[in-house]
Amino acid sequence: MRGILYKDLITVRKSIFIYVLLVVLLAGFGDGFQVTLGMVYCIMLPVSLLGYDERAHFERLLAAMPPSPLVRVLDKYIFAYGSIAFALLVVFARGLLFPALTVEPWMIVISCAMALMSTAVALPLVFHWGTERGRGIYLLTIGVQMALCFIIRDVAGTMGESSVLMGSLAAVVVGVIANGVSVALSERLYARRLAA
């Protein structure tokens, strides 16, 4: 597992700066919508890593190595969760350094839920259909998620903040459960793709 994670870090070492810059700009200096976009953007790192692996035909090399499909799948999920954690860290640092730019707590929680749901939806698609077709479908899901974000923001204005926060926390729980299902589904789809 550590070897595959190290390989992925080496692979993205040149492009990670652009990724970090975009997440810092979106999550660090944007309003609630940009925070959500910055967190949902986090999934692009593991999708890009899968694209690099496909172009390099890394699956052929992995067929001769001991890691199971589960380890290969978990590698990409670890990158996704690390990216989400980084975006959360940027949002919290923003709140500490620039108190005037704070975002409502429920917006941070719903952004995290959206990023988790994005991970749960995108990675199985990419593992099943490959990077190009999976990325296209994933971009459509981003559009749906951003529309949901606007709807939630409008509905939240009519509700009390505590009920919106509770709903947001429930969405995070749903996102965590969806990721558990997503990992199992991704493993099965990836194993089937390797066998073909």
Side-chain angles (χ1 to χ4, degrees), residues 12-145:
V12 296
R13 73 178 181 265
K14 290 182 181 176
S15 61
I16 196 96
F17 176 74
I18 300 296
Y19 161 78
V20 168
L21 181 68
L22 281 172
V23 170
V24 166
L25 288 175
L26 289 170
F29 297 104
D31 62 0
F33 174 72
Q34 278 100 11
V35 169
T36 303
L37 188 60
M39 286 197 188
V40 171
Y41 179 73
C42 292
I43 190 64
M44 292 310 290
L45 183 63
V47 171
S48 296
L49 286 169
L50 280 165
Y52 293 142
D53 287 351
E54 284 179 5
R55 272 186 260 132
H57 302 289
F58 190 66
E59 291 88 11
R60 293 180 190 170
L61 179 62
L62 278 177
M65 299 173 84
S68 68
L70 177 62
V71 170
R72 300 174 201 170
V73 165
L74 282 177
D75 167 55
K76 303 310 182 229
Y77 279 90
I78 288 171
F79 266 93
Y81 302 146
S83 300
I84 294 168
F86 173 72
L88 278 172
L89 183 68
V90 168
V91 171
F92 290 136
R94 161 195 175 158
L96 291 174
L97 296 174
F98 308 107
L101 293 178
T102 57
V103 178
E104 296 90 2
W106 66 267
M107 191 62 172
I108 296 170
V109 175
I110 201 69
S111 297
C112 186
M114 292 273 190
L116 287 172
M117 292 303 289
S118 180
T119 303
V121 169
L123 286 180
L125 294 173
V126 173
F127 278 116
H128 180 65
W129 282 307
T131 306
E132 293 308 315
R133 281 189 282 173
R135 187 179 294 162
I137 295 169
Y138 168 63
L139 290 174
L140 288 175
T141 64
I142 287 179
V144 170
Q145 288 176 340

Side-chain angles (χ1 to χ4, degrees), residues 2 18 59 149 158 184 192:
R2 285 187 306 175
I18 300 296
E59 291 88 11
C149 185
T158 63
R192 188 180 308 158

